């Protein structure tokens, strides 16, 4: 800096008074210490001298503004150090992060609810007042500034989460039958299990130190379960296949079941997705299943829950249409505790994994959905109406899922064989089009939606390797990603029959460009771009983002080049973008840590750069769990992740064994529930829970 300081505009004082320059120079000559101060910086030194300036006709000259602080460094997309795999019974996160368990199964939903009993002896009525089991998809909804509606606060809001199913070996106190802890089975046991399904709404508050707690006195805390009344809305409401003796109008159903992934709307509602509903149904006595029942996987004994043996609602011989009332997307308003959930039938009936919602450039609401079973399909819904961004919570916006068009994807190979990319089209599932006619058995649009799998068979959609979560890139309009978890039935010669007569999961389709590996035990992720970046477009281009697996394998089963020894994983399942554009990948696969799965450890969560395709491991879960469900506060300083079914023994390397060396079965584990896992509470049976992740310095997650 020059020692001769002049006025900012360089103009001399026209009056007889001394100029600022003269006053400053005289003061500096009289006090050399002030000269040193001036040389250190004008901003602090000029202020004492302003009063020495003469009055004249001019106003005093203001000091120059202080220099602007340097801009903060750009946020790193992958700014953490990757962690190693683990087979331990705890949660691992990177250095500088802390992970804390929150709202485990059985936690009282409010301050009036009963406490969890460590011996699993809670009743059905008590479970209806407690957090459900096997947490899955979830979303955080911040409050507004008034704390009474949807907004963007990060310190307080509603955490809404799904409860997919139960683990009977931990869920029930053992019965009197020494050979089977479940017996004798009762209506009370069935109702308790139904109460543990569905959704929990939890009022969460963040303290100044970043710790999350539940406000138990809040009226927003709520349980929605397998016997909560719900409205059936949309084209399928009232159809003959939706009618039962208890609901002859076909417009109201009890409960939501097998709540897997989720969605979140820009008008502040929550979408819960009904997945493997078929497993709760069966029949007593003789029955020949219809083509519709077989196509959705209904069978005599279901998945072994035994509900059909004690509750006629789940016995197809007693209530044959009850399964048709499940397998939908359910919309819930978490800010209206007395509101009735709504099943949105315009979005189709299948085994919904999640519902990835975006607003297209033309204002149409688009919802992408995977049907989670081997050899099933990818769908999208496009609303008839348009989103009003100026009034996001308007009544009109809240009706946008009532009507629209359901499409199913057909993936085509590109010009170069084996390049794992190509093009595709979205085929509308509209009655009277593309073979969806009365001649082929489709009587109406309601019939098409109730039988969406069979409609997709008819139009020739592409069979995928277990299509699960979809994630929409917030930084790139029209781009979305889909996890294809695995498919050990890929590589044969049979496909789903066009007449819809194939039993669910029984086909053995050949490999194709989008599903290029036979016996695909590791899974992959496909990426597509809807035409011209428009999510409502009817054509798309696609490529494979990652093929999981073992880098040592170099034949047709080889993984993609972005998989290496430091980021091994299998069976990608949960998938979500944060608002900055990181792609978070969660796994639900084998934790055997041997053979095809060597060095992969427990299920985990990784983070990917969608541009460079780099992938790093961020979190590893406890023994026998799945990592699923993810959400953030708006400031991204708190992340919520769910740990589902901790303690599932399976083929874990630490599985407890008997004296003969055989892995203990469920009957043994039910009687010794702390033998394998005690996560998250020491000396207590394992319980699904939400994990709250934060940085120890209070910073943004992922940086």
């Amino acid at each position: 800096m020059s020692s001769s300081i002049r006025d900012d505009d360089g103009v001399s004082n026209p009056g007889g008074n001394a100029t600022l320059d003269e006053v400053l120079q005289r003061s500096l000559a009289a006090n050399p210490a002030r000269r040193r101060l001036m040389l250190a910086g004008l901003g602090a030194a000029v202020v004492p001298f302003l009063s020495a300036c003469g009055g004249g006709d001019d106003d005093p000259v203001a000091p120059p503004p202080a220099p602007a602080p340097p801009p903060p460094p750009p946020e790193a997309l992958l700014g953490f150090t990757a962690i190693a795999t683990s087979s331990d019974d705890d949660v691992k996160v990177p250095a500088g992060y802390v992970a804390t368990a929150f709202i485990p199964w059985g936690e009282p939903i409010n301050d009036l609810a009963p406490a969890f009993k460590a011996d699993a002896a809670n009743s059905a009525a008590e479970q209806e007042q407690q957090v459900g089991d096997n947490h899955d998809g979830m979303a955080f909804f911040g409050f507004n500034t008034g704390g009474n509606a949807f907004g963007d606060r990060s310190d307080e809001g509603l955490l809404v989460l799904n409860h997919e199913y139960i683990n009977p070996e931990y869920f029930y106190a053992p019965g009197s039958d020494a050979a089977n802890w479940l017996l004798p089975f009762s209506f009370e046991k069935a109702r308790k299990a139904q109460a543990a399904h569905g959704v929990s709404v939890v009022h969460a508050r963040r303290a100044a130190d970043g710790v999350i707690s539940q406000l138990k006195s809040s009226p927003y805390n709520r349980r929605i379960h397998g016997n909560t009344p719900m409205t059936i809305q949309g084209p399928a409401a009232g159809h003959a296949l939706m009618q039962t003796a208890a609901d002859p109008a076909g417009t109201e159903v009890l409960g939501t079941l097998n709540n897997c992934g989720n969605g979140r709307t820009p008008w502040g509602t929550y979408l819960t997705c009904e997945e493997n509903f078929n497993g709760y149904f069966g029949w007593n006595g003789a029955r020949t299943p219809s083509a519709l029942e077989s196509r959705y996987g209904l069978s005599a004994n279901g998945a072994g829950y035994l509900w059909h043996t004690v509750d006629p609602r789940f016995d197809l011989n007693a209530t044959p249409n009850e399964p048709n009332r499940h397998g939908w997307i359910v919309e819930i308003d978490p800010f209206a505790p007395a509101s009735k959930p709504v099943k949105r039938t315009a979005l189709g009936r299948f085994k919904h994994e999640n519902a990835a919602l975006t607003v297209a450039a033309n204002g149409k609401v688009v919802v992408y959905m995977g049907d989670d079973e081997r050899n099933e399909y990818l769908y999208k819904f496009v609303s008839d109406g348009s989103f009003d961004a100026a009034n996001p919570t308007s009544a009109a916006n809240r009706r946008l899922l009532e009507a629209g068009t359901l499409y199913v994807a057909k993936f085509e190979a590109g010009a170069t064989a084996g390049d794992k990319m190509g093009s595709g089209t979205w085929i509308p599932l509209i009655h009277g089009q593309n073979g969806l006619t009365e001649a082929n058995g489709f009587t109406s649009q309601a019939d098409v939606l109730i039988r969406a799998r069979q409609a997709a068979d008819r139009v020739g959609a592409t069979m995928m390797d277990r299509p699960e979560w979809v994630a929409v890139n917030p930084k790139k309009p029209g781009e979305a990603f889909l996890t294809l978890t695995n498919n050990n039935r890929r590589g044969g010669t049979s496909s789903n029959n066009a007449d819809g007569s194939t039993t669910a999961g029984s086909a053995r389709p050949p490999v194709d460009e989008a599903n290029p590996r036979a016996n695909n035990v590791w899974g992959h992720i496909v990426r597509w771009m809807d035409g011209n970046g428009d999510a409502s477009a009817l054509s798309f281009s696609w490529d494979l983002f990652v093929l999981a697996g073992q880098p040592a394998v170099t034949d047709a089963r080889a993984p993609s080049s972005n998989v290496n020894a430091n980021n091994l994983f299998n069976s990608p399942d949960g998938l979500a973008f944060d608002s900055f554009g990181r792609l978070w990948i969660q796994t639900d696969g084998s934790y055997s840590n041997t053979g095809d799965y060597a060095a992969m450890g427990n299920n985990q969560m990784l983070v990917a750069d969608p541009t460079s395709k780099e992938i790093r491991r961020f979190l590893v879960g406890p023994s026998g769990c799945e990592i699923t469900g993810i959400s953030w506060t708006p400031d991204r300083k708190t992340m919520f992740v769910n740990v589902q079914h901790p303690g599932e023994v399976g083929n874990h390397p630490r599985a407890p064994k008997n004296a003969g060396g055989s892995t203990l079965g469920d009957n043994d584990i039910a009687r010794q529930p702390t033998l394998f896992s005690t996560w998250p509470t020491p000396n207590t049976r394992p319980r699904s829970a939400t994990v709250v992740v934060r940085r120890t310095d209070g910073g943004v997650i992922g940086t």
Side-chain angles (χ1 to χ4, degrees), residues 325-587:
R325 295 145 65 85
H326 299 271
W328 303 100
I329 299 287
V330 185
E331 186 170 14
I332 298 167
D333 185 350
F335 293 96
S339 62
K340 196 173 181 180
V342 180
K343 296 201 177 187
R344 299 294 192 187
T345 66
L347 281 72
R349 174 177 169 265
F350 42 90
K351 295 183 180 180
H352 287 275
E353 182 69 16
N354 84 319
L357 188 149
T358 188
V359 178
N362 59 7
K364 302 297 183 183
V365 169
V366 177
V367 185
Y368 297 104
M369 301 164 287
D371 182 355
D372 181 12
E373 191 157 11
R374 287 167 293 195
N375 310 322
E376 292 303 335
Y377 307 115
L378 170 66
Y379 299 82
K380 83 172 177 181
F381 167 87
V382 180
S383 65
D384 284 348
S386 298
F387 179 69
D388 180 2
N391 301 285
T393 60
S394 69
N397 282 344
R398 288 171 175 268
R399 299 187 62 183
L400 287 172
L401 300 184
E402 291 185 4
T405 302
L406 183 66
Y407 298 86
V408 68
K410 185 176 182 65
F411 288 77
E412 302 282 6
T416 304
D419 63 356
K420 300 179 178 63
M421 61 178 61
S423 60
T425 55
W426 294 101
I427 306 172
L429 299 181
I430 297 176
H431 183 247
Q433 299 181 17
N434 301 309
L436 303 179
T437 61
E438 290 197 31
N440 287 323
F442 295 95
T443 61
S444 65
Q445 185 61 26
D447 194 35
V448 167
L449 295 170
I450 294 168
R451 301 167 52 205
R453 280 187 168 182
Q454 293 173 305
D457 293 342
R458 173 60 65 180
V459 302
T462 300
M463 301 163 63
M464 307 297 284
D465 286 353
R466 279 189 67 194
E468 298 216 38
W469 288 65
V470 178
V472 176
N473 190 341
K475 300 296 185 180
K476 199 168 183 180
E479 184 175 81
F481 295 69
L482 168 71
T483 51
L484 296 160
T485 296
N486 52 50
N487 188 357
N488 61 2
R489 297 178 182 178
R490 175 72 65 177
T493 58
S494 63
S495 297
N496 291 336
N497 298 327
D499 64 2
S501 62
T502 306
T503 298
S506 65
R508 300 293 191 275
V511 297
D512 57 43
E513 287 287 309
N515 304 273
R517 297 188 292 190
N519 189 28
N520 181 16
V521 298
W522 294 314
H524 59 289
I525 297 175
V526 65
R527 168 175 59 183
W528 71 91
M529 171 64 75
D530 276 325
N532 299 316
D534 176 8
S536 67
L538 301 186
S539 63
F540 60 91
S541 58
W542 65 268
D543 71 334
L544 296 187
F545 181 75
V546 61
L547 288 152
Q550 293 284 1
V553 174
T554 57
D555 58 17
R557 300 174 64 225
S560 51
S561 60
N562 51 341
V563 173
N564 56 61
N566 296 317
N567 64 8
L568 295 178
F569 68 98
N570 74 88
S571 303
D573 188 340
L575 195 68
F577 275 96
D578 64 26
S579 60
F580 189 70
R582 299 178 187 87
L583 181 62
W584 299 77
I585 304 166
Q586 301 171 315
T587 71

Side-chain angles (χ1 to χ4, degrees), residues 105 187 210 217 241 252 258 262 310 357 416 424 431 467 489 578 653:
W105 158 51
F187 181 73
S217 61
L241 288 172
E252 183 177 272
N258 211 259
N262 69 290
V310 295
L357 188 149
T416 304
H431 183 247
R489 297 178 182 178
D578 64 26

Side-chain angles (χ1 to χ4, degrees), residues 212-266:
I212 294 286
S213 62
Q214 182 188 4
L215 184 62
K216 290 196 179 265
S217 61
S218 169
Y220 293 104
N221 293 315
R222 181 185 184 190
R223 275 304 321 282
I224 296 164
H225 50 72
N227 285 289
T228 301
M230 304 188 176
T231 297
I232 300 171
Q233 182 279 325
H239 188 274
L241 288 172
M242 303 290 278
Q243 298 169 2
T244 65
D247 174 32
T251 57
E252 183 177 272
V253 61
L254 292 180
T256 180
L257 300 170
N258 211 259
N259 304 85
C260 190
N262 69 290
R264 170 191 165 127
T265 72

Side-chain angles (χ1 to χ4, degrees), residues 85-101:
T85 60
S86 167
S87 293
D88 295 341
D89 193 34
D90 59 7
V91 173
K92 311 286 189 183
V93 289
Y97 287 83
V98 62
T100 308

